[in-house]
Amino acid sequence: MKNFLIKLLKILLVFVLSTMIIYTFFTLKKLINLSNKYQISIFGHMTYIYELDTEMINNLSEEVKQMNQFAELLREEAENSIYKNDGLEHSLGDGHIHTFGEFFDPVGFSAWSLLQSTVYNIFAEYIRISIALGIVVAVTYGIISSKKVNKVLKFIIGYIGVMLAFPPLYMYSWTGRFWDFKAMYLNGDSKFFYFAYTIIFLLICLTNYIISKKMTKELNNAIKENKKKMC
C-alpha cells in the first residue's frame, strides 16, 4: 500500500509539473507571436515608429473601427434608455435591463472589452490542451516506470496506444464528435503532437533508464558491502 501511494504521488507530481511546463511553453509562445504580430516589444527596447509595418497598422485600424462601432451602439442604447430621466438611482444589478453605456464610457468599455478578449485568448487558450498532455505524460510515466510491464508492452501501450487514442479523444472534447481518419490524424495539430510526444516519450524512457541504472548500482553496492561485513 505504501509503495502504491508513493507511485501515485510521483505520477501526480509528473502530471502537475508537465502540465505547468507545457502550459507555460504554449502561452509564452503565443504571447511572443502576438507581440511580433503587433510589433509590441516585451523584451528589449521599445519599437521605433519607422520600424512599424504599414499593413499591420492598417489591419489594426479595422479592429479599432469595429470597437468604435460597438461604442456608438452602446451610446445610442444609453441615450434611448427608459430609465434615463426617471429620477431614480440605478445600477447594473438592480434587476432592470440596462446597457453598459449607461454606466461606463462607451469608448472606454469597448477598449476594455478588446483588451479582455485579447488577454483571455492568450492565457486561456492552452489550458485544456496542457491538462490533456499532462495526463498523457503522467500515464506514460506510470506505464514506463512500472516493473510489471515488459518493454514491448510499454512501447505498444505507452507510445503507439497514446498516438492512436489521443488525437480523436482530444478532438471529441472540442467538437463533441469523432471525425474521419484524415481530419483526426493528419491535421497540423496532430502532427505537432506526434513530434512533441515522441520527444517526451524518449525523455521519459531515458530518465527512467538512468534512475533504474542508478538504483541498481546502489543496490549492488549495498549487497557487496553486506557481503564484506559478513565475511
Side-chain angles (χ1 to χ4, degrees):
M1 185 65 180
K2 182 180 179 181
N3 292 335
F4 172 77
L5 290 176
I6 292 174
K7 181 67 177 294
L8 182 61
L9 288 174
K10 287 182 178 179
I11 292 175
L12 288 175
L13 180 62
V14 169
F15 164 70
V16 172
L17 290 176
S18 59
T19 300
M20 291 176 62
I21 292 171
I22 292 169
Y23 173 77
T24 301
F25 171 77
F26 280 139
T27 302
L28 186 60
K29 183 173 179 289
K30 183 176 180 64
L31 179 61
I32 293 173
N33 288 339
L34 193 67
S35 300
N36 291 335
K37 176 183 177 181
Y38 292 112
Q39 291 185 264
I40 299 172
S41 178
I42 56 176
F43 304 110
H45 65 82
M46 295 286 290
T47 302
Y48 297 110
I49 299 298
Y50 61 81
E51 295 177 338
L52 292 177
D53 179 61
T54 303
E55 184 178 354
M56 180 274 296
I57 295 296
N58 292 339
N59 291 335
L60 187 59
S61 70
E62 294 300 320
E63 296 183 28
V64 175
K65 288 177 182 177
Q66 292 177 8
M67 183 182 72
N68 286 335
Q69 291 173 0
F70 182 50
E72 286 298 322
L73 178 63
L74 291 178
R75 189 177 288 109
E76 289 177 8
E77 290 180 338
E79 288 293 328
N80 297 324
S81 172
I82 61 175
Y83 305 106
K84 181 180 178 183
N85 298 312
D86 63 1
L88 300 176
E89 292 290 332
H90 289 281
S91 66
L92 281 173
D94 62 7
H96 297 147
I97 299 176
H98 293 288
T99 66
F100 295 113
E102 294 177 50
F103 304 97
F104 303 104
D105 177 77
V107 176
F109 183 80
S110 300
W112 175 85
S113 299
L114 182 62
L115 287 173
Q116 166 69 22
S117 176
T118 302
V119 172
Y120 177 82
N121 288 334
I122 291 173
F123 291 98
E125 181 174 353
Y126 293 109
I127 292 177
R128 183 179 295 187
I129 183 63
S130 298
I131 293 175
L133 288 175
I135 293 173
V136 168
V137 173
V139 170
T140 304
Y141 169 78
I143 295 171
I144 291 175
S145 61
S146 176
K147 297 179 180 179
K148 297 180 180 180
V149 182
N150 63 54
K151 294 180 179 179
V152 176
L153 280 178
K154 286 180 180 180
F155 179 76
I156 294 174
I157 299 173
Y159 185 71
I160 298 178
V162 171
M163 287 283 202
L164 293 175
F166 182 79
L169 290 176
Y170 181 70
M171 290 189 67
Y172 183 85
S173 71
W174 276 100
T175 62
R177 72 182 183 90
F178 293 106
W179 296 72
D180 59 84
F181 181 88
K182 184 178 180 180
M184 289 190 297
Y185 292 104
L186 300 179
N187 62 76
D189 291 337
S190 294
K191 291 177 181 178
F192 175 78
F193 167 71
Y194 302 148
F195 174 76
Y197 183 67
T198 299
I199 295 175
I200 292 171
F201 183 82
L202 292 175
L203 287 175
I204 294 175
C205 289
L206 180 62
T207 302
N208 184 68
Y209 171 76
I210 293 172
I211 293 174
S212 299
K213 188 176 180 180
K214 183 179 180 181
M215 291 177 62
T216 302
K217 185 177 180 180
E218 291 176 352
L219 181 62
N220 290 334
N221 291 335
I223 293 173
K224 289 179 181 178
E225 289 294 327
N226 287 333
K227 288 182 176 179
K228 288 180 180 178
K229 291 178 181 179
M230 292 176 64
C231 293

